[in-house]
Amino acid sequence: MPNRPARQLVKNQRILTAAATLSVSEAATAMRDAKVGAIMVVNGPRLVGIFTERDALYRVLAAGKDPRRTTLADVMTVNPATIEADLPFGQALHIMYERGFRHVPVVEDGQLVGMVSARDALGPEMEQVKAELLEREHITEILG
Ligand code: AMP
């Protein structure tokens, strides 16, 4: 299990949040500029929802909604699952796998500190998986 604490993955991250009243069009622009696939929706300091590229596709585009007239409140997922910053990244991957999404906001002392995504697993953890697969191949060769 990837053991790096979630905190380590988000430490240099700019926290991207939006109010639920923001239009989908403005949120998409912010996501494009920040080069991320999801935005955390807040009410003051409180996390109230998440809006991802999947929502833009399924709940806006495919539903024939106008992104300029649709607000995040209309199409976000409310009360998203989060992970505490000191927990291992592997636990976030576990939640993503079990619940079928690719983003998990990270919280510390009740405050939002960032967001991990399934893409983060393409870093050192992917190297670890590659090394394990190579080792397995090597063992298979030795055993003939
Ligand atoms: P994703 O795969 O992350 O683009 O998200 C797929 C669906 O799950 C979308 O409807 C998201 O709004 C929702 N979703 C994404 N992350 C979370 C989360 N941490 N908790 C609950 N729902 C989420």
Side-chain angles (χ1 to χ4, degrees):
M1 148 122 56
N3 279 323
R4 285 189 292 159
R7 178 188 299 110
Q8 204 174 313
L9 281 103
V10 300
K11 70 172 185 266
N12 295 320
Q13 216 177 64
R14 185 166 78 83
I15 300 171
L16 188 67
T17 58
T21 49
L22 198 72
S23 72
V24 164
S25 172
E26 287 168 307
T29 305
M31 287 157 69
R32 181 200 63 197
D33 292 348
K35 297 189 174 67
V36 295
I39 194 161
M40 296 180 280
V41 185
V42 293
N43 181 356
R46 207 162 59 86
L47 178 70
V48 294
I50 189 166
F51 175 78
T52 77
E53 53 206 358
R54 181 73 57 94
D55 297 319
L57 190 65
Y58 289 12
R59 296 179 182 167
V60 183
L61 213 58
K65 293 196 162 110
D66 179 348
R68 264 166 282 147
R69 288 166 185 273
T70 306
T71 64
L72 292 182
D74 299 329
V75 286
M76 69 186 187
T77 299
V78 295
N79 297 328
T82 60
I83 185 170
E84 289 290 331
D86 58 346
L87 290 176
F89 174 49
Q91 198 148 323
L93 289 176
H94 212 261
I95 297 171
M96 292 180 207
Y97 176 74
E98 294 267 299
R99 300 196 39 191
F101 46 67
R102 296 162 296 171
H103 299 88
V104 181
V106 181
V107 290
E108 184 154 35
D109 301 326
Q111 288 207 323
L112 272 180
V113 292
M115 180 148 56
V116 290
S117 91
R119 280 189 69 125
D120 293 323
L122 296 175
E125 281 76 19
M126 187 53 98
E127 293 306 315
Q128 192 182 325
V129 169
K130 265 200 258 168
E132 283 169 13
L133 287 176
L134 279 174
E135 192 180 351
R136 208 175 298 167
E137 260 175 43
H138 186 59
I139 291 170
T140 313
E141 266 172 33
I142 291 171
L143 294 178

